[in-house]
Amino acid sequence: MSICVIGTGYVGLITGVCLADSGMNVICADKNEDLISKLQNGEIPFYEPDLEPLIKKNHSSGKLRFTTDITVAVENSSCVFITVGTPGLEDGSADLTYVYRAAREIAGCINGYKLIIIKSTVPVGTCKRIKSYIDDIIKKTGRNIEFDIVSNPEFLREGTAISDFNFPDRIVIGTDNEKAAALTSEIYELPIFENTPVILTTVETAEMIKYASNAFLAAKISFINEIANLCELCGADVGVVAKAMGLDKRIGEKFLNPGPGFAGSCFPKDTRALLKTANDLGYDPEIISSIMKSNLSQRKKTVQKIINSVGDPADKTFTVLGLSFKPETEDIRESASIYIIEELLSVGGIIRAYDPKAMNNMKKLYPELAVDYCGDALTACEGSDCIIIATEWEQFFDLDFKIIKDIVNKPVVIDLRNMFEPGYIKDNGFMYTGVGKQ
Ligand code: NAD
């Protein structure tokens, strides 16, 4: 099957390169000329572990091509993945502008039967509406061309995207059409997907599975954040609580790490969009509507904890280690670090920051923030009144707090990811504050 992927961002590029690496012919298309020209010239547009060699290998073998010409991409493919962004709007709903634009472009150049697979996260009912939308355009131009729409949500995580795509926990295929189900299953019969459970269901159910999964994970993080706050009040250790909870197979160990609140390109916007869908349907879901409130409250508590550690924050120097919303990505969408930096600047704090990958994104997207970006973590700690571990990058484990003690102004560490053993930091003369433990 020849594949075209419309939207060559995180999900589109990973989808394209992994399918190409499995032997399919793939054209990745994107409106962004700069992005496509970088890819055509062998440059990798964003950091993701193991992505670069995979792209180079499949691009040079001709299995993976890049274009800004959607028409050429669609005309030469039997299967079209839509992987454009669906960011959140002010009212919480998902912005479907890009999905509709991609649908309009496909409708304008469709030249024979196509299997159109929507991988973008879209609210329940969208895939059916896209089908009618494309149908109308085709009919209005007097053509008679068949196509099918399938909902096939993606669950990969940035930082582990390639292995997540190749070895997913499940594959969800939503369609009401046997031919489309069979064709989509054919793609997922590749050896990489062997032994992966396939959920074949309706379009609406597939769309809901994605939102329900993300909102559940967001709720799980918010839950452990609240338990951590309680642990701080009553003297319990959330690390041990979470470990023991996680050993219960009904609960599971993942997503039980407390921190400054969840972030990223998906959980916040998808939770808001699910709530908006519920409200539009006249339903007020109490748990879902409290997830974002709890998350904001966690961020506020985090900032207060940082401020409490220095007294008057005006003219104090705060070192923020980690800007991406999680390690192994340069993505800063809704990152807690941005909120923390904005709040500390608003009370007169001075910010020095370091991140192994995300500093260029911060400079580009938040040029108004008066942050002193440093070349390494040690430099960022010079003259600091409070070191904030905001993202658990592996390389921060190598920090030598004995050396750091000599270069800071005040020895204070706020470990928002519980990366370090409190004893190790305290033994080096620092005041240490973690999350949910003494
Ligand atoms: P992204 O912003 O990284 O990439 C989207 C790309 O689509 C951009 O490069 C943009 O230029 C392109 N685009 C927009 N309109 C276009 C058009 N009409 N034609 C061609 N290209 C167009 O987005 P992403 O993070 O890859 O997310 C894509 C979708 O997948 C979203 O719905 C998201 O919720 C979902 N998703 C994301 C992740 C993740 O970790 N990033 C994981 C699972 C699902």
Side-chain angles (χ1 to χ4, degrees), residues 5-14 29-33 35-36 46 48 67-68 70 82-87 94-105 118-122 153-159 161 210-211 214 264-267 269-270 325-326 329 331 333:
V5 179
I6 300 185
T8 310
Y10 279 92
V11 169
L13 188 54
I14 302 291
D30 202 289
K31 286 280 172 210
N32 183 333
E33 289 179 9
L35 173 87
I36 292 300
F46 51 80
E48 176 64 35
T67 183
T68 51
I70 311 285
I82 297 183
T83 52
V84 298
T86 49
D95 183 353
L96 298 175
T97 313
Y98 306 104
V99 177
Y100 273 95
R101 195 172 298 159
R104 194 161 62 239
E105 279 158 348
I118 301 195
K119 240 190 196 313
S120 297
T121 303
V122 293
E154 179 54 53
F155 300 94
L156 63 77
R157 296 159 299 172
E158 289 170 21
K210 175 66 191 176
Y211 280 98
N214 273 2
S265 64
C266 293
F267 288 0
K269 81 163 172 72
D270 291 349
F325 79 93
K326 66 172 179 177
T329 182
D331 198 338
R333 287 180 274 188

Side-chain angles (χ1 to χ4, degrees), residues 26-82:
V26 180
I27 311 180
C28 282
D30 202 289
K31 286 280 172 210
N32 183 333
E33 289 179 9
D34 184 43
L35 173 87
I36 292 300
S37 109
K38 270 188 182 149
L39 285 162
Q40 283 168 338
N41 293 322
E43 271 181 68
I44 309 304
F46 51 80
Y47 173 71
E48 176 64 35
D50 308 323
L51 183 58
E52 187 166 350
L54 213 55
I55 290 184
K56 289 201 162 136
K57 175 183 154 202
N58 288 286
H59 188 217
S60 57
S61 74
K63 283 272 164 210
L64 180 65
R65 286 173 294 151
F66 303 105
T67 183
T68 51
D69 192 334
I70 311 285
T71 303
V72 168
V74 171
E75 282 180 353
N76 288 289
S77 308
S78 49
C79 168
V80 181
F81 279 91
I82 297 183

